């Protein structure tokens, strides 16, 4: 069964590539048959398999019945695997392919500085008033540059808490007291015990390609509109001094942690290079845990994840604190492509993804009866099915699409948790530089060179393949040779100016 599923995923990916790089013939075909409706292509990431076109068409038509009537628009859905999303969208836009709406995945600043995004300031006022009101000034400021708005943050719980997601049945069989696992320091001992009791099991899975999630446990760090994989100059705590992250003791600690796991066979050997996601590895039954950040309480997180990807009982344990910065708001945000020929139609549909319950639930769950079951207001999969086996599901993308608070509640979770999550958005510790956005457009050459160095060293360091005692120094020297210090200086200059104006 597993073999056939992988074959299906492969086929879907090939179909998708053909669609992306063949001029989006599907969307153009619809244009000729429905000329009175403007055509919008909506590119979004999925964490499960990309659905087959015949299954996707049914969801698309369900949404278009709404959009034709409400906004005079037809939408072409373009789901792309998370591992390939940024590269595929970038290449498609550079090649003139039709993508009208796309999302940032930790690269909002790069999208703006590389002029991939449309200035939506006026469009938002005219065609997205409800969304503008919903978001509020602070959230929209996180997607602004030089006073103009270029994106809309996904409306969701943003106070993400790092957690260890683990096989609850294994922990119970071994008598592990998971209540005592409260930080990264406590995780290694648990993984070692699992390895001893289950020698063939891999204790820790990578979260996604090139990371095991430990960067999420570093406390009170503001990446200043970059992300962990960009040329980061950060501030830590209440200081406004821009620092080189890779020289800090915080970075050394997570590298040492990963290197120790590799030495003791407590982690996937090729974690730095694999394209397997945690959802896939945990479904296989041969992995004990992974590290990721979630916005729900522990019990709700476990219930939601178990319903999505696992036939095994799942537990969740908080191992750090949430911390809000501008990047937390704009890391996953929605933009209209600068190349679009239908900006007004794109804005109208984007507005519906934040305000129309039927549109957002169709995007997330697909078709009722085929892809999900709705009972007493709670959603679940048809008996014997999961997010990986139903014809369509984007449930694992629920924190990346439109308005999270309009999505159906997952069976097994507490609806009251939504209020808890909204409250966390308001009370979580916040960076003193909240609202600052860095303009890197003057440093494109340095950014490209530094990102190449980061791609060479970072996955190996944070996944334990490289010895931090020798390789971090080489990493930093290579960064500096590529122009890293110029980026840090420019970021400090812009931050100082922002502080004068806003503090």
């Amino acid at each position: 069964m597993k073999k056939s599923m992988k074959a299906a995923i492969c086929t879907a990916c090939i179909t998708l590539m053909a669609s992306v790089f063949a001029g989006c013939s599907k969307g153009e075909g619809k244009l000729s048959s429905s000329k009175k409706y403007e055509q919008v292509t909506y590119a979004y990431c999925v964490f499960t398999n990309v659905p087959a076109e015949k299954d996707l068409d049914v969801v698309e038509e369900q949404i278009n019945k709404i959009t034709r009537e409400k906004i005079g628009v037809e939408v072409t859905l373009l789901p792309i695997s998370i591992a390939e999303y940024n590269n595929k969208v970038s290449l498609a836009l550079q090649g003139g392919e039709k993508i009208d709406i796309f999302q940032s995945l930790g690269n909002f600043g790069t999208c703006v500085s590389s002029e991939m995004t449309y200035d939506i300031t006026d469009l938002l006022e005219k065609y997205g008033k409800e969304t503008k009101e919903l978001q509020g000034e602070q959230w929209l400021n996180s997607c602004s540059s030089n006073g103009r708005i270029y994106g809309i943050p996904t409306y969701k719980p943003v106070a993400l808490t790092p957690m260890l997601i683990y096989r609850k049945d294994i922990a119970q069989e071994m008598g592990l007291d998971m209540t005592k696992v409260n930080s990264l320091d406590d995780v290694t001992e648990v993984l070692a015990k699992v390895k001893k009791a289950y020698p063939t099991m891999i204790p820790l899975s990578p979260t996604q390609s090139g990371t095991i999630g430990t960067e999420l446990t570093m406390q009170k760090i503001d990446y200043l509109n970059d992300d962990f994989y960009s040329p980061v100059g950060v501030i830590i705590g209440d200081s406004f001094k821009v620092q080189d992250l890779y020289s800090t003791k915080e970075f050394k600690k997570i590298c040492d942690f990963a290197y120790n796991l590799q030495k003791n066979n407590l982690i996937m050997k090729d974690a730095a290079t694999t394209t397997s996601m945690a959802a896939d590895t945990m479904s296989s039954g041969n992995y004990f845990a992974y590290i990721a950040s979630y916005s729900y309480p522990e019990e709700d997180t476990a219930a939601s994840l178990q319903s999505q990807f696992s036939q095994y009982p799942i537990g969740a344990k908080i191992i750090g604190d949430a911390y809000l910065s501008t990047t937390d708001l704009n890391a996953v945000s929605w933009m209209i492509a600068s190349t679009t020929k239908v900006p007004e139609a794109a804005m109208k549909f984007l507005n519906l993804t934040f305000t129309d319950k039927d549109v957002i639930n169709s995007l997330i769950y697909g078709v009722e009866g085929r892809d999900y079951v709705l009972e007493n207001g709670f959603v679940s999969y048809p008996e014997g099915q999961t997010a990986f086996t139903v014809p369509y599901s984007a449930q694992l993308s629920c924190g990346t699409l439109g308005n999270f608070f309009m999505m159906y509640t997952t069976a097994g979770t507490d609806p009251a948790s939504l209020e808890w999550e909204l409250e966390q958005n308001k009370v979580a510790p916040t960076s003193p530089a909240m609202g600052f956005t860095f303009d890197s457009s003057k440093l494109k050459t340095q950014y490209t060179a530094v990102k190449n160095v980061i791609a060479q060293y970072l996955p190996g360091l944070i996944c334990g393949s490289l010895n931090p005692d020798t390789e971090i120094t080489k990493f930093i020297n290579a960064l500096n040779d590529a122009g890293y210090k110029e980026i840090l200086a420019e970021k400090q200059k812009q931050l100082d100016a922002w502080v004068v104006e806003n503090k």
Side-chain angles (χ1 to χ4, degrees):
M1 179 175 178
K2 186 177 175 184
K3 183 177 179 181
S4 63
M5 180 184 295
K6 285 189 174 180
I9 292 171
C10 182
T11 302
C13 289
I14 292 172
T15 301
L16 177 65
M17 290 177 67
S19 173
V20 170
F21 295 108
C24 292
S25 58
K26 184 181 173 190
E28 290 176 359
K30 256 197 322 192
L31 181 64
S32 63
S33 61
S34 306
K35 291 182 180 177
K36 67 179 180 178
Y37 300 113
E38 290 191 285
Q39 303 295 308
V40 170
T41 299
Y42 180 81
Y44 58 109
C45 74
V46 291
F47 293 75
T48 51
N49 50 306
V50 175
E53 186 167 330
K54 65 180 178 58
D55 298 322
L56 184 64
D57 284 347
V58 181
V59 180
E60 201 173 86
E61 178 57 22
Q62 181 171 282
I63 292 172
N64 281 332
K65 285 180 180 176
I66 301 170
T67 58
R68 289 185 196 113
E69 179 179 345
K70 284 195 170 184
I71 58 175
V73 167
E74 286 184 340
V75 179
T76 296
L77 300 180
L78 185 58
I80 302 175
S81 168
I82 177 71
E84 302 173 305
Y85 185 86
N86 283 342
N87 282 339
K88 278 197 169 181
V89 169
S90 179
L91 288 172
L93 291 177
Q94 289 175 38
E97 310 295 349
K98 180 173 172 56
I99 289 180
D100 301 296
I101 302 173
F102 67 104
Q103 64 187 124
S104 68
L105 294 174
N107 62 338
F108 174 77
T110 300
C111 292
V112 174
S113 63
S114 59
E115 300 180 350
M116 293 167 62
T117 60
Y118 199 98
D119 178 351
I120 63 170
T121 311
D122 299 329
L123 290 175
L124 193 60
E125 181 63 35
K126 192 169 183 179
Y127 302 110
K129 285 185 177 179
E130 301 95 335
T131 298
K132 185 177 181 181
E133 183 177 350
L134 177 75
Q135 295 275 336
E137 184 177 355
Q138 186 184 60
W139 283 49
L140 291 175
N141 282 345
S142 73
C143 288
S144 300
S145 179
N146 297 318
R148 307 298 291 178
I149 301 172
Y150 291 92
I152 304 172
T154 299
Y155 194 63
K156 62 172 184 171
V158 291
L160 301 177
T161 307
M163 297 185 189
L164 181 73
I165 308 301
Y166 63 94
R167 284 274 300 275
K168 194 173 182 178
D169 55 334
I170 297 292
Q172 289 176 336
E173 286 174 12
M174 295 178 59
L176 297 175
D177 185 357
M178 299 303 288
T179 64
K180 294 182 178 178
V181 180
N182 297 309
S183 70
L184 200 59
D185 295 332
D186 303 324
V187 170
T188 302
E189 182 179 351
V190 170
L191 300 182
K193 288 180 178 178
V194 171
K195 187 66 179 178
K196 185 176 181 179
Y198 298 87
T200 61
M201 177 172 272
I202 300 174
L204 190 70
S205 165
T207 309
Q208 61 186 55
S209 182
T211 178
I212 59 172
T214 50
E215 72 276 10
L216 304 170
T217 66
M218 295 192 294
Q219 300 292 290
K220 294 188 175 181
I221 292 180
D222 185 341
Y223 294 93
L224 299 174
N225 210 40
D226 278 318
D227 61 64
F228 191 68
Y229 308 97
S230 295
V232 290
V234 303
I235 59 173
I236 301 177
D238 294 329
S239 171
F240 284 106
K241 178 179 173 52
V242 176
Q243 300 186 47
D244 157 19
L245 174 67
Y246 310 114
S247 297
T248 63
K249 65 177 186 294
E250 288 84 357
F251 181 71
K252 178 69 162 46
K253 179 179 178 179
I254 65 168
C255 294
D256 286 340
F257 172 84
Y259 189 62
N260 183 50
L261 295 189
Q262 284 288 3
K263 284 197 304 183
N264 292 285
N265 297 317
L266 301 180
I267 186 175
M268 178 195 280
K269 278 297 179 188
D270 59 349
T273 57
T274 182
T275 57
S276 296
M277 309 288 293
D280 193 21
T281 57
M282 292 295 285
S283 296
S284 74
N286 197 38
Y287 288 79
F288 173 69
Y290 71 95
I291 296 169
S293 284
Y294 294 97
S295 59
Y296 326 129
E298 291 173 343
E299 289 185 1
D300 282 3
T301 298
S304 178
L305 292 174
Q306 184 173 321
S307 70
Q308 292 172 34
F309 62 71
S310 182
Q311 58 184 305
Y312 308 102
I314 293 294
K317 185 67 183 69
I318 291 174
I319 56 172
D321 297 320
Y323 187 65
L324 293 181
S325 68
T326 304
T327 305
D328 293 291
L329 297 183
N330 69 24
V332 183
S333 49
W334 286 92
M335 297 162 285
I336 294 176
S338 59
T339 53
T340 184
K341 295 178 181 177
V342 288
E344 293 86 0
M347 186 68 244
K348 290 175 185 176
F349 178 67
L350 205 47
N351 187 53
L352 286 187
T353 67
F354 288 94
T355 59
D356 191 296
K357 189 171 184 176
D358 293 328
V359 167
I360 191 59
N361 280 299
S362 294
L363 280 170
I364 289 292
Y365 294 112
V367 178
E368 185 175 0
R370 185 192 75 171
D371 303 314
Y372 71 93
V373 175
L374 190 63
E375 188 171 2
N376 299 322
F378 292 94
V379 67
S380 60
Y381 291 105
E383 187 174 353
Q385 300 284 314
T386 70
F388 287 92
T389 58
V390 292
Y392 177 96
S393 177
Q395 190 191 353
L396 292 179
S397 304
C398 63
T400 73
L401 299 181
N403 188 342
F404 173 88
F405 295 100
M406 280 190 164
M407 297 174 191
Y408 297 137
T409 304
T410 307
T413 61
D414 184 355
S417 295
L418 289 174
E419 295 300 322
W420 180 89
E421 290 155 8
L422 278 170
E423 182 67 12
Q424 296 308 302
N425 281 357
K426 301 173 183 175
V427 302
T430 302
S431 165
M434 172 63 85
F436 169 73
T437 55
F438 177 55
D439 179 3
S440 61
S441 58
K442 298 177 182 176
L443 300 160
K444 290 180 180 176
T445 301
Q446 294 90 332
Y447 252 65
T448 299
V450 168
K451 289 184 82 166
N452 287 337
V453 175
I454 290 174
Q456 179 184 352
Y457 281 93
L458 188 63
L461 282 167
I462 63 175
C463 293
S465 305
L466 298 177
N467 185 344
D469 289 335
T470 59
E471 301 305 308
I472 287 181
T473 299
K474 295 178 184 176
F475 179 31
I476 293 172
N477 289 339
L479 287 170
N480 291 337
D481 290 342
Y484 188 35
K485 288 186 177 180
E486 295 172 55
I487 295 172
L488 297 179
E490 178 62 23
K491 185 171 275 190
Q492 183 72 70
K493 178 183 174 183
Q494 291 185 26
L495 179 61
D496 289 345
W498 181 87
V499 170
V500 169
E501 189 173 336
N502 293 278
K503 295 293 179 179

